[in-house]
């Protein structure tokens, strides 16, 4: 299909044999596919229970280990629950994340990045501001910007090229040039309610935002080197090919 990135989902748990992962990784390398890995959904860096935080660190560790087997250099994870006190939850999350970084130092030394994701629901930690705040803890942390989630969380606020430009500028201002140019992206059209994310849609369901066109234009114009994983409902690969086609069309405008 001409695609060149794949995110292996371990969202339901790290149940994977080393040999299998290495075989997949070898094939990916052979075909020029850059791999990333999505960590389990149960991670909650802000868990009020010590046991919950300890397990979260363990899930991150085992996903990092799987990433090494795959030859992947990005592990994507959801930061956790916002609870009743967002600020307290953020403080707990930062401490747990620092401990996770320490435990994963051997993988980090090999160049594997931990990538907290922006989330679509009010009840979750993971506004743009929160994800950037987490990433400020260490240069091994790279943001995963899920534009659909941001759009849902902020009630459909991504409409124009300027809206995307503001997000890109915010990332660069917070984390500097390097991480402002290389970060991870999830993209899909999304339906939302007052509480945020309701459902991912396909790219052809244009009644839902956000639109990829203005983002593609900015990526081409600013020569950003990011990996985009398409999370369309049931049409990930087909829609990823469509997003890639749109991006290449924009690239031609600048070359
Ligand atoms: Zn995710």
């Amino acid at each position: 299909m001409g695609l060149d990135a794949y995110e292996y989902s371990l969202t339901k748990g790290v149940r994977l044999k080393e040999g299998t992962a290495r075989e997949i990784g070898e094939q990916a390398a052979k075909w020029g596919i850059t791999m990333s890995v999505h960590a389990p959904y149960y991670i909650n860096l802000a868990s009020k229970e010590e046991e919950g935080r300890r397990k979260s660190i363990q899930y991150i560790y085992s996903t990092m280990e799987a990433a090494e087997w795959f030859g992947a250099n990005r592990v994507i994870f959801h930061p956790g629950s916002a609870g009743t006190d967002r600020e307290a939850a953020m403080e707990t999350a930062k401490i747990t994340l620092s401990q996770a970084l320490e435990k994963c130092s051997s993988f980090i030394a090999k160049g594997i990045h931990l990538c907290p994701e922006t989330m679509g629901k009010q009840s979750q930690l993971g506004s743009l501001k929160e994800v950037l705040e987490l990433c400020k803890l260490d240069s091994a942390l790279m943001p995963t910007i899920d534009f659909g989630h941001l759009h849902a969380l902020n009630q459909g606020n991504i409409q124009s090229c300027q809206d995307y430009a503001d997000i890109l500028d915010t990332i660069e201002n917070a984390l500097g040039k390097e991480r402002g140019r290389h970060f991870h992206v999830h993209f899909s059209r999304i339906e939302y309610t007052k509480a945020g994310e309701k459902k991912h849609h396909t790219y052809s369901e244009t009644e839902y935002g956000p639109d990829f066109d203005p983002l593609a234009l900015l990526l081409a114009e600013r020569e950003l080197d990011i990996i985009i994983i398409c999370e369309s409902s049931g049409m990930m690969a087909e829609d990823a090919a469509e997003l890639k086609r749109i991006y290449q069309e924009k690239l031609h405008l600048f070359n």
Side-chain angles (χ1 to χ4, degrees):
M1 293 181 77
L3 298 173
D4 44 22
Y6 183 77
E7 191 152 299
Y8 197 96
S9 175
L10 293 175
T11 50
K12 292 182 177 144
V14 189
R15 291 183 216 97
L16 176 84
K17 291 209 176 80
E18 180 175 351
T20 312
R22 289 197 186 275
E23 251 173 72
I24 293 170
E26 275 164 29
Q27 288 296 317
K30 182 177 155 194
W31 295 96
I33 313 282
T34 303
M35 284 194 65
S36 49
V37 190
H38 199 306
Y41 286 143
Y42 343 114
I43 288 170
N44 181 5
L45 297 178
S47 173
K48 289 200 172 102
E49 323 293 328
E50 205 204 317
E51 176 70 358
R53 299 195 297 276
R54 193 189 61 77
K55 278 190 177 155
S56 296
I57 293 172
Q58 186 54 46
Y59 291 136
I60 288 178
Y61 182 88
S62 39
T63 311
M64 290 290 264
E65 186 175 47
E68 195 195 1
W69 297 338
F70 282 124
N73 66 355
R74 294 175 181 196
V75 164
I76 289 72
F77 69 97
H78 298 174
S81 166
T84 45
D85 182 345
R86 277 201 104 84
E87 273 177 37
M90 270 302 284
E91 288 318 303
T92 308
K94 282 192 220 168
I95 294 167
T96 315
L97 185 53
S98 301
Q99 292 165 344
L101 285 166
E102 213 177 290
K103 188 170 164 83
C104 296
S105 58
S106 64
F107 301 121
I108 287 165
K110 288 174 186 156
I112 306 175
H113 296 274
L114 257 181
C115 311
E117 177 178 344
T118 59
M119 301 307 297
K121 293 179 186 152
Q122 295 288 352
S123 58
Q124 299 162 309
L125 287 181
S127 65
L128 179 61
K129 190 167 168 265
E130 287 164 347
V131 164
L132 295 177
E133 206 177 314
L134 291 175
C135 287
K136 281 181 187 171
L137 285 178
D138 194 286
S139 61
L141 296 161
M142 175 187 274
T144 297
I145 307 300
D146 186 315
F147 285 101
H149 285 168
L150 288 180
H151 187 71
L153 183 69
N154 300 304
Q155 304 294 297
N157 71 334
I158 303 178
Q159 300 292 341
S160 64
C161 211
Q162 188 57 50
D163 296 333
Y164 278 115
D166 289 344
I167 295 170
L168 299 180
D169 292 341
T170 303
I171 299 166
E172 189 176 320
N173 289 337
L175 303 177
K177 266 232 144 34
E178 183 62 18
R179 281 187 285 176
R181 275 183 45 76
H182 306 279
F183 53 90
H184 201 71
V185 167
H186 286 170
F187 197 94
S188 69
R189 293 190 184 274
I190 200 159
E191 187 179 349
Y192 55 88
T193 65
K194 270 211 168 83
E197 170 184 10
K198 183 179 172 198
K199 187 177 185 296
H200 286 223
H201 284 272
T202 66
Y203 199 67
S204 60
E205 292 173 283
T206 51
E207 62 268 43
Y208 303 103
D211 190 25
F212 184 64
D213 222 74
L215 176 60
L217 187 69
L218 276 174
L219 296 180
E221 187 185 2
R222 296 186 178 196
E223 300 178 332
L224 298 190
D225 184 18
I226 64 179
I227 292 173
I228 302 179
I229 300 297
C230 175
E231 292 196 330
S232 282
S233 169
M235 296 268 287
M236 291 191 195
E238 295 82 355
D239 279 0
E242 172 66 5
L243 299 186
K244 189 166 179 180
R245 190 194 62 74
I246 294 169
Y247 171 66
Q248 279 170 338
E249 195 180 273
K250 306 298 176 203
L251 268 185
H252 285 306
L253 297 175
F254 297 96
N255 288 302

